[in-house]
Amino acid sequence: MSEATPIIRAERCSKWYGHILGVSDVSWTCRGGIVGLLGPNGAGKSTLMKMVAGLLAPSRGQLEVFGAPPFTSADVRRRVGYSPEHPPPWDELTAQELVAAMARLAGVPAPRCAKAAADALEAVGLSAAAHRRVRGFSQGMRQRTKLATAIAHEPDLLLLDEPLTGVDPVARADILERIRGLAAAGKTVVVSSHVLYEIESLTTDILVVYRGQVLAEGNVYEIRRLIDRHPHRIRVECDRPRELARVLTGAEHVVQLHFERGAVVVETRDPDRCYDEINAAVIDASVDVRALTSPDNNLGAVFEYLTGGPRAG
Amino acid sequence: MPADRPLTGREATLAIARIAVTRAPRSWALWVVLALASLPVAYARLILGSGPPGAGLWRDVFSFGLRLLWVVPTTMVAGAIGDELTDRHRSYLWSRPLPRWSILTGKLLASAPLAFAVLAGGLAAAFALARSPALEDPGLVLARSLGAIALGVIAVGAVATAMATLQPRFATALAIGYMGFVDFPLGEMPAALRQLSIQYQVRQVAAVDQYPGSTVTALIALAVITAVAAAVALARVRRFE
């Protein structure tokens, strides 16, 4: 594989399950780092991941991972660590036994599997529970076990399908930190989620998947440019939101105003002018502003726009 | 600890078998079949309670024990393979660099000998009770019976594997259903159709059928049934997504 070969290259990939469309005409190139696959449940994220992991063959189009098709190339699958959405298998085994078995099946030489498993469990913070059966684990511990099975053979590409599902906030923060650590160690990590802030807290490099199609790809700010035709939102948290709204009502660039608890949200086609007018109103009407944010910098807003959600223009 | 290279089919088969053997004593299935395997002993005791052992007692006990072919290898093989073909397990196993057939062979390698050991243990214990003084060579009778059971387990294992690849979620029920509602009636038919029955052929090999036939024919029939079932399983697993 040459330096220029992308880690993942999908060209017009489609996958049908009988008559049901899994993904449609997906073209995507991944060159490394952390990539977030973002989309609601049933959008096609898992299907895309399964194709990259070599579980499914594309019905149409081309998919290459490290320059070869993963469905037919065992050598490619050896370099991929996949943590599926499903709970770990064989939960009668202890975490140590399970991770060692998975490492062996991934090609780690038998005498080195126990050490590989112990290292992986340590990396995900499960050393203390290594000799307990997975059946008795909490949801958070199971997610960590899944992560350990995915990293035990030291793959170059990690595919993590909804790695934070059902995890409590403390474990969530810890798992996110560990995923960042893996990327810092040079691994390419593809993480899927339907929860916007999970992806946002990991990366700005995202792929928005919806109804089996890639709706947008790239940096969140690039994606924001794609949706420039949509109004920009500014949320002003203040003591008298109705007074501020009264001042802004009637401005030509203001598309819509609505109230949230202790705040007014302005949708405008001219953000710069709107910021100036808010400043002026704050001074003229003596409104005490506590916070001023642009929800459009949040992936949530981008996602809503792209999927034609409630805030789409 | 990076993976050096993908496992060969043989290595993968052994790795899968090792995992299955580790899991077996921790699952309910083994304990259920162990309990079932004691039934021939109970049956032999029941018959002995009504009088001294006659020449045909072992045939009766063996025929009764043969019914365990419906349940023991089917539960152990179909259940184990069906599990691995469900979405949950497949996601983990098939993303590994393994030949897909090794999942079937690994499971069979672990569960078929275990199923045979369970059945053989129960039947050998029953034989110790039920053997008639009239038997000329009890060692040979027992060896032939257990050999027939071993071949039966292999054939039923192959059929159960095929069933598991056809319908993983209901593999055990399907395999037991096949043995009880297809294979058993076939074996009772007077026509040539009974040649398709595993249970009939096992009785022939064990030489306990009331209408003795050719052992060679029985061996060939068992080999053909096993080969056809294995071919179906391999073809299915290759196309599985």
Side-chain angles (χ1 to χ4, degrees), chain B residues 167-191:
Chain B
Q167 192 49 263
R169 286 186 66 188
F170 306 104
T172 305
L174 211 62
I176 292 174
Y178 176 83
M179 290 305 294
F181 298 109
V182 179
D183 190 89
F184 178 69
L186 275 178
E188 299 303 312
M189 283 184 184

Side-chain angles (χ1 to χ4, degrees), chain A residues 37-60:
Chain A
L37 282 190
L38 184 65
N41 289 327
K45 305 183 300 288
S46 294
T47 301
L48 188 54
M49 278 214 170
K50 283 177 182 172
M51 286 200 295
V52 175
L55 276 161
L56 301 175
S59 308
R60 188 186 291 171

Side-chain angles (χ1 to χ4, degrees), chain A:
Chain A
M1 194 183 83
S2 75
E3 282 300 307
T5 307
I7 310 284
I8 302 166
R9 189 180 68 85
E11 211 173 289
R12 308 205 66 180
C13 266
S14 298
K15 180 70 196 174
W16 289 276
Y17 299 101
H19 293 295
I20 298 166
L21 186 67
V23 294
S24 170
D25 213 22
V26 168
S27 292
W28 170 42
T29 301
C30 168
R31 294 189 182 276
I34 303 182
V35 180
L37 282 190
L38 184 65
N41 289 327
K45 305 183 300 288
S46 294
T47 301
L48 188 54
M49 278 214 170
K50 283 177 182 172
M51 286 200 295
V52 175
L55 276 161
L56 301 175
S59 308
R60 188 186 291 171
Q62 262 199 324
L63 175 71
E64 288 182 351
V65 177
F66 301 114
F71 187 75
T72 52
S73 169
D75 223 33
V76 166
R77 296 202 300 278
R78 180 181 61 86
R79 298 178 63 187
V80 175
Y82 175 45
S83 168
E85 61 195 317
H86 303 288
W90 311 330
D91 53 12
E92 314 90 343
L93 299 183
T94 66
Q96 169 72 26
E97 288 169 337
L98 174 65
V99 178
M102 284 294 173
R104 179 66 186 133
L105 296 179
V108 174
R112 304 209 310 247
C113 286
K115 172 86 168 67
D119 290 349
L121 288 167
E122 190 183 346
V124 300
L126 264 188
S127 289
H131 297 287
R132 280 174 51 194
R133 289 193 189 175
V134 175
R135 181 167 288 174
F137 279 8
S138 67
Q139 186 71 14
M141 291 166 85
R142 282 170 190 251
Q143 289 287 14
R144 286 167 198 254
T145 308
K146 282 164 59 177
L147 191 54
T149 63
I151 64 173
H153 59 291
E154 297 188 9
D156 299 312
L157 169 64
L158 265 170
L159 305 169
L160 309 178
D161 197 352
E162 303 272 1
L164 300 172
T165 301
V167 172
D168 65 73
V170 177
R172 183 180 297 259
D174 186 57
I175 291 173
L176 285 172
E177 195 50 48
R178 290 177 197 279
I179 293 172
R180 282 188 209 102
L182 290 165
K187 312 281 184 200
T188 297
V189 186
V190 180
V191 190
S192 82
S193 177
H194 62 283
V195 181
L196 308 175
Y197 75 91
E198 287 178 358
I199 294 284
E200 191 179 32
S201 62
L202 276 174
T203 182
T204 55
D205 192 4
I206 64 167
L207 195 71
V208 180
V209 184
Y210 189 61
R211 290 184 179 167
Q213 292 186 308
V214 172
L215 229 52
E217 180 191 357
N219 187 287
V220 63
Y221 303 108
E222 289 172 27
I223 288 166
R224 180 65 189 83
R225 276 200 292 278
L226 288 175
I227 54 167
D228 263 353
R229 67 180 185 276
H230 297 284
H232 186 90
R233 284 196 295 161
I234 300 167
R235 185 175 189 276
V236 188
E237 214 174 300
C238 58
D239 60 343
R240 287 184 292 145
R242 290 192 181 276
E243 183 66 22
L244 182 60
R246 194 184 56 76
V247 175
L248 292 171
T249 304
E252 173 209 357
H253 57 87
V254 173
V255 176
Q256 198 180 25
L257 283 163
H258 72 268
F259 296 98
E260 291 175 0
R261 183 187 285 266
V264 58
V265 179
V266 188
E267 293 189 12
T268 174
R269 294 195 189 281
D270 189 343
D272 292 340
R273 218 169 116 197
C274 189
Y275 280 120
D276 289 344
E277 288 180 6
I278 290 170
N279 286 341
V282 164
I283 294 163
D284 295 346
S286 301
V287 176
D288 183 17
V289 174
R290 290 188 294 272
L292 194 143
T293 53
S294 169
D296 278 1
N297 289 334
N298 183 291
L299 267 181
V302 176
F303 184 69
E304 283 178 2
Y305 281 141
L306 290 171
T307 57
R311 304 238 57 81

